[in-house]
Amino acid sequence: MRYAIAFICLAAPATAQDGPATFQLPQGCDAYLTVQGASCRVDHHFTCADDPEGMQRRVSIDERGLTYAGQIDSETQWIESFHILTGHSERLESNPVEPASLSDLIEKGIDDYDFRTLSDQIGTTRYVGQDTLTGRQVTIDGVTLDETTYDITAYDPAGNVIWQSQGNEFISRNWRMFLSGTGTTTIGGETFEKDDRPVEFIYPSEPGFLSSRPKHGCGVAIS
């Protein structure tokens, strides 16, 4: 489960309905894909001229406005993440015990990872998990994706479990990215189900590209 920008300056988000109709990219950046998801979320994927080769960025917007900004490398490692609603950021620690590797997943059908992120706000978090290709391909809005299963656990510095999550996601070999799917997350003894599957893929010059307004599954309570 790997779904992190040299950070944009962000104020507290307005609601998506009240905000501008189009997301404004940082200067020097170019977007190549907008994804409308099933759970009232729209994601924008883009690259920036000053980033190292292979770096990708993503922002996520839901009914409340901008909720996430992040940067991944070509192996889909979480390089930086900014969680707007909680106000905390995370960055990948150097020399992970077992780096996440999209290449290993594609070549071997399985990828184990064990890495830590550092945060000035919440401290160190260790993530341990596994992604596996199921062998099944699905086509959504004309895009062929490979289905995965994932199992991930987050630990605090004392080794206590913060949360656990299992389910299915997708990878795009062409874009070298993970896309959300379905699953369950357990936090503090409570388990929550999610369905974040992509519904629409929108490209530059198409209607809805860089829209700041999610379309699908909106109007329900967000936990």
Side-chain angles (χ1 to χ4, degrees):
M1 174 180 155
R2 306 188 216 129
Y3 204 53
I5 265 178
F7 299 134
I8 307 168
C9 292
L10 297 165
T15 64
Q17 290 82 357
D18 294 338
T22 303
F23 177 74
Q24 301 300 308
L25 291 169
Q27 188 172 2
C29 300
D30 291 301
Y32 59 92
L33 181 67
T34 290
V35 182
Q36 286 279 1
S39 61
C40 194
R41 190 180 83 191
V42 58
D43 296 330
H44 303 302
H45 298 268
F46 56 101
T47 59
C48 297
D50 292 337
D51 286 344
E53 185 176 357
M55 291 289 184
Q56 302 183 57
R57 303 185 185 211
R58 170 173 65 90
V59 295
S60 297
I61 302 168
D62 69 11
E63 287 178 295
R64 297 162 292 190
L66 191 64
T67 62
Y68 175 84
Q71 183 180 29
I72 61 171
D73 67 7
S74 61
E75 294 296 342
T76 68
Q77 294 187 99
W78 297 336
I79 302 301
E80 292 182 313
S81 300
F82 185 26
H83 304 271
I84 289 86
L85 298 180
T86 57
H88 81 275
S89 61
E90 298 177 88
R91 64 190 182 278
L92 182 66
E93 185 180 49
S94 300
N95 302 314
V97 172
E98 180 64 40
S101 173
L102 181 64
S103 296
D104 282 354
L105 179 60
I106 292 172
E107 293 169 9
K108 302 175 183 177
I110 190 169
D111 180 48
D112 296 305
Y113 50 85
D114 184 346
F115 62 87
R116 301 197 308 171
T117 60
L118 311 177
S119 171
D120 293 336
Q121 296 81 26
I122 66 171
T124 300
T125 305
R126 180 187 178 198
Y127 297 93
V128 181
Q130 182 182 88
D131 293 307
T132 306
L133 291 178
T134 67
R136 177 175 176 255
Q137 288 189 321
V138 300
T139 300
I140 300 174
D141 195 25
V143 175
T144 299
L145 306 170
D146 290 274
E147 185 185 59
T148 73
T149 61
Y150 70 85
D151 190 332
I152 183 171
T153 303
Y155 299 92
D156 68 16
N160 300 308
V161 173
I162 303 172
W163 54 263
Q164 295 176 297
S165 188
Q166 300 85 29
N168 296 96
E169 290 184 324
F170 307 99
I171 62 165
S172 165
R173 297 176 187 243
N174 292 335
W175 294 316
R176 290 191 69 82
M177 70 169 70
F178 277 77
L179 293 140
S180 289
T182 59
T184 60
T185 300
T186 302
I187 305 174
E190 291 189 76
T191 297
F192 306 91
E193 294 186 359
K194 67 166 190 172
D195 181 353
D196 294 331
R197 288 175 294 179
V199 176
E200 294 181 69
F201 294 96
I202 306 167
Y203 306 99
S205 79
E206 292 185 342
F209 183 69
L210 286 180
S211 172
S212 63
R213 297 173 182 172
K215 293 172 58 177
H216 305 283
C218 299
V220 298
I222 301 175
S223 59

